Amino acid sequence: MAASGSAESRTAHFRPDIQGLRAVAVLLVLLYHAGLPWVSGGYVGVDIFFVISGFLITSHIVREVDLKGRLDLVAFYARRARRILPAALAVLAVSMVVAYLVIPPFEREGLLQDAAATALYVPNMLFAVQDTDYLASEAPSIFQHYWSLGIEEQFYLFWPVVLTMVLKFLGHRRWALWAAVGGLVAASFVGCLALMSVSESWAFFALPTRAWELGVGALVAIAVSRGVRVSSPVGGVAAWGGLAAAAAAGFLLTDATSFPGVATLLPVLGTAAVILCGTARLSPAWLLERRPMQFVGAISYSLYLVHWPMVLIPQTAVEGSLPEWLKVALSALAVPVAYLCYRFVETPFRRAPSRTRVSHRRTVAVSLAASVALGAVSATSAGAVARIPIHSGNEAPEYAGQPNPSGTPYVPANMSPDLRSAPEDNPEIYRDGCLRDTRDDDGSGCQEGADPAAPTVALFGDSHAANWHPALRAIADDGQIELDVNAKSSCESVATENSPNDYPTCAEWRDNVIERLHEDPPDVIMLANYAAHHSADAEDREQYWQDALEHTIERLPQESQVLIMVDTPTMPAVPMSCLSRHVEDAERCAANRETTLEEGLDAPTRQAERTVAEDDGRVDRVDLTAYFCNDETCPAVIDDRLVYRDTHHLTRTFSDAMRPAVEEALVNLVDGIERTA
């Protein structure tokens, strides 16, 4: 991170206070990734880096243009390549090899694809396309931290050209530079806020929506280069305030903060204040210039690169999570490892005597060749890995659909879906838009069925309602029911008046659906939700869930019968990763029934659902757990079917096979439905 910003030489332009500020940034990121709860917003260290980089790179460009009348782009890119690429590619290559040897076979193809994108400077774009949630990802990429380096590399590619054109056509007048760069910063910031309501992933990872942060640093650089000086004690107080704001963001923000957004102003403007006023009297420079801060600041780039794989690779290598103390210990160990990288990789390339350096053009050519070669090797290897089967070689009998399944003790060669296909084995509503996303408050639903005169069943819930859609759709396609699908990602259909909303459109969508159901009440309203996922504390979960159910059911049409679908079990780990490790011993990937159903998070909600069903005559409860679990375990593979596509969502294939069980439940509850032979 902030590759351009490390002190390249102890020249008159070197500012030790910025070196210390770099230490603050990397320590926030380090502690955040170590899992320390009190550094809940430590991810803002990256934003501090962005401002520093924008300041330093712009200072260099403006200074060279002022002195020479032009910027030597080839020399500029050569310096950036010598500074950035040796450490970045070395850590990338080592991490890729080590991770490949220890991670589950299922994850290797993705690992190599991520490595290829990283080597070619576009990891941020890959993560945006994958709709990665950086702040809440359950299975983050080993190279996910390279997203910020991708932003900077792309910025370094375009910014010198943009800035030199501005200087050429608008001259060196202060107002012209301020107006041009300020306009770009404002446009980027407004675009970021606008895109947040459309795609948080793209807003987070894309250069156009994060460029304003580097642009703020650029504005400070222009101010300093044009003679703005803040030397009074008031400036020192402002610098202290900026440092406090940037550091406080690391402790006050959380994974639930809408980010990047307005909250991003806190670390960005705070950092800008420290840089602009850092040389003033009474500034925090004396603190930032202490030897420990200078040391950490000097190795900050290498420390940023090595700390994440050092924590995550052991995490992915074991079955289960690492204890917190071990994450902290690995993060501490990253410091000496980073020093070795700084001493033997960064420094030799960056500070090589000019007489031993190759030409700038050759440096750029060699750097591009190394990146392309590593990217090509990674991409080719990913293609080869994708063709390696992951199963035991033995076949299993066709799914029988019987209660109390024993589970298949191996990964069948004829398993459907296979492990690699499982993540994409989603219900149709994921593709046709019937599963509303986080931006959508449309309560119109989706109507499916072959017989308009059949009883109407309204499916109402979050993505766990989608778990049952394939089975219900098959029943609807046979004319048994008219299905009305009302499902929205991460938005439960049950809530109290005071329930916290995960995001604004959730409550709006819920209200819109209920209002429409009153217009033409269905025969049955099926409530299906991820019961273990809500904001109530563990000790209050049962009462909260009961209150939420009662409040919502009271709001539903009185003419409709209400059916509560008991939630499906939650697995202890991603089944595909576990099964790929144990193709001959799939039972190791099964969930313990007692832990999952009696001591797990959903146990209180199950009791709440029983109470509501017993107290309200128009409410029924359907529990199909017997089709997922036997007396001891809840298997990941039953006969020739893979049950789950992640820890708590069913595969479309298994849900479709559950049609007889779902139909049986409806036969007993809804007039006009008959069993299919």
Side-chain angles (χ1 to χ4, degrees), residues 298-344:
I299 68 169
S300 59
Y301 178 48
S302 286
L303 183 55
Y304 183 85
L305 289 174
V306 305
H307 84 282
W308 179 243
M310 286 187 64
V311 172
L312 195 62
I313 290 177
Q315 176 70 63
T316 57
V318 301
E319 296 180 47
S321 60
L322 294 177
E324 293 300 324
W325 68 266
L326 183 54
K327 290 183 182 179
V328 174
L330 289 170
S331 299
L333 182 61
V335 174
V337 174
Y339 173 75
L340 294 176
C341 182
Y342 168 77
R343 174 68 177 81
F344 296 106

Side-chain angles (χ1 to χ4, degrees), residues 4-5 13-15 17-19 21-22 48-63 152 155-156 159 163 211-225 228-229 271-272 274-279:
S4 71
H13 303 296
F14 174 74
R15 283 185 49 180
D17 61 316
I18 293 180
Q19 189 82 303
L21 188 58
R22 206 177 278 113
I48 297 174
F49 275 133
F50 282 161
V51 180
I52 294 173
S53 292
F55 170 79
L56 292 170
I57 207 68
T58 304
S59 297
H60 172 82
I61 295 171
V62 172
R63 185 164 55 245
E152 293 209 9
F155 182 79
Y156 298 154
W159 187 239
L163 193 56
W212 70 272
E213 300 181 45
L214 293 107
V216 167
L219 288 173
V220 176
I222 293 170
V224 173
S225 71
V228 175
R229 296 289 184 271
T271 303
V274 176
I275 297 174
L276 182 62
C277 307
T279 58

Side-chain angles (χ1 to χ4, degrees), residues 319 396 399 405-412 415-419 422 425 569-583 585-593 596 625 627-630 632-655:
E319 296 180 47
Y399 178 70
S406 59
T408 306
Y410 51 84
V411 177
M415 186 175 69
S416 180
D418 61 52
L419 293 180
D425 195 46
T570 296
M571 302 301 285
V574 177
M576 292 82 73
S577 296
C578 180
L579 291 169
S580 69
R581 289 184 190 273
H582 306 293
V583 294
D585 188 12
E587 293 176 344
R588 293 187 60 173
C589 303
N592 180 281
R593 179 188 174 105
T596 301
T625 302
Y627 289 88
F628 298 93
C629 305
N630 53 51
E632 297 180 354
T633 65
C634 303
V637 182
I638 300 176
D639 297 327
D640 64 342
R641 302 298 169 99
L642 178 63
V643 183
Y644 304 93
R645 60 181 175 84
D646 58 24
T647 55
H648 57 89
H649 289 101
L650 303 182
T651 63
R652 179 199 58 77
T653 303
F654 190 82
S655 175

Side-chain angles (χ1 to χ4, degrees), residues 430-444:
Y430 279 80
R431 292 181 289 276
D432 63 16
C434 284
L435 179 66
R436 308 303 187 196
D437 60 28
T438 56
R439 305 179 298 274
D440 198 345
D441 63 359
D442 181 6
S444 61

